[in-house]
Amino acid sequence: MHLIEVERKRQLPDNSSLRQRLTERGYREAGHLTEVDVYYSRPDVDYMKTVECLRIRKRDGFAEMTYKPPSNAATHSDTDVIAKRETNVTLGGPDQAAAANQLLAAIGMVELVRVEKARTIYRHPEHDDIIVAIDAVTDVGTFVETEVTAADTDAATIHLEEVETELGITDHPVVGLPYRDLVMAAAH
């Protein structure tokens, strides 16, 4: 059985009230990390148009390469809920991120942008399928990303909406663009 990540991102004007609400609801801080993502596209296919993702991610003691397939009506809903199957390859260590970047450049991939973010992850001890992340993205702002992992996309979407309601974030503007796109737009 393949699990699908169902997630939605919202702008977060005030993260202190959300942090308090997470604590009140039983969520605990599960980690704080800095991630640096380098995004790529093919020279013959514009991943900005197809809404594909190929990235090398590096963080404290860890590196991975991730591919997410193109977006379409089935993967990206009208309410900006995204449900895609990711392909992740864990690299041998953070020093391997540079080698992976060199490999992609050597085969002709085009570097799009570098995204740096400080992420605080929250988890609930009774709900392993939910992750709430508060992201401070350099040059762009602060966001909350709620993610539910499940085999059934429709049930996961309903559950995602319940979590957002419980956390009191449904009035925060939904952000349909990936951080990659937001950082690229801010640079121009």
Side-chain angles (χ1 to χ4, degrees):
M1 170 175 50
H2 292 285
L3 295 178
I4 303 290
E5 250 183 31
V6 177
E7 61 187 45
R8 182 164 34 214
K9 177 172 42 242
R10 294 177 179 272
Q11 286 181 333
L12 188 60
D14 171 28
N15 66 35
S16 62
S17 61
L18 176 58
R19 289 177 195 275
Q20 180 180 347
R21 193 164 190 111
L22 284 162
T23 301
E24 290 169 356
R25 299 289 188 265
Y27 287 82
R28 300 290 177 249
E29 189 173 314
H32 183 80
L33 46 99
T34 299
E35 292 180 336
V36 177
D37 295 338
V38 181
Y39 289 86
Y40 291 88
S41 185
R42 288 179 21 194
D44 60 330
V45 176
D46 184 351
Y47 283 5
M48 297 300 294
K49 289 182 181 171
T50 60
V51 195
E52 287 176 81
C53 169
L54 176 61
R55 75 170 177 235
I56 306 295
R57 170 170 285 166
K58 182 179 175 183
R59 64 175 175 256
D60 311 325
F62 177 81
E64 73 179 348
M65 183 182 295
T66 298
Y67 174 74
K68 297 179 188 180
S71 286
N72 56 40
T75 63
H76 200 124
S77 77
D78 293 340
T79 58
D80 286 312
V81 172
I82 300 166
K84 289 186 180 184
R85 183 180 302 159
E86 292 185 3
T87 302
N88 295 298
V89 176
T90 302
L91 302 175
D95 56 322
Q96 291 297 302
N101 286 316
Q102 289 174 345
L103 171 68
L104 292 178
I107 62 172
M109 299 302 283
V110 178
E111 184 175 323
L112 295 174
V113 70
R114 178 185 177 99
V115 176
E116 296 182 29
K117 72 175 175 263
R119 171 171 271 193
T120 304
I121 299 168
Y122 291 86
R123 291 187 175 270
H124 194 286
E126 298 170 11
H127 304 287
D128 289 343
D129 60 333
I130 302 169
I131 296 173
V132 178
I134 298 175
D135 294 330
V137 181
T138 302
D139 298 326
V140 179
T142 304
F143 305 87
V144 57
E145 191 172 286
T146 308
E147 177 183 304
V148 175
T149 305
D152 181 315
T153 301
D154 293 335
T157 300
I158 291 167
H159 192 69
L160 174 75
E161 291 168 354
E162 292 168 350
V163 172
E164 288 180 327
T165 300
E166 176 186 355
L167 296 177
I169 59 174
T170 56
D171 60 335
H172 298 326
V174 172
V175 178
L177 295 175
Y179 294 137
R180 169 196 70 188
D181 299 35
L182 296 173
V183 171
M184 288 178 73
H188 291 95

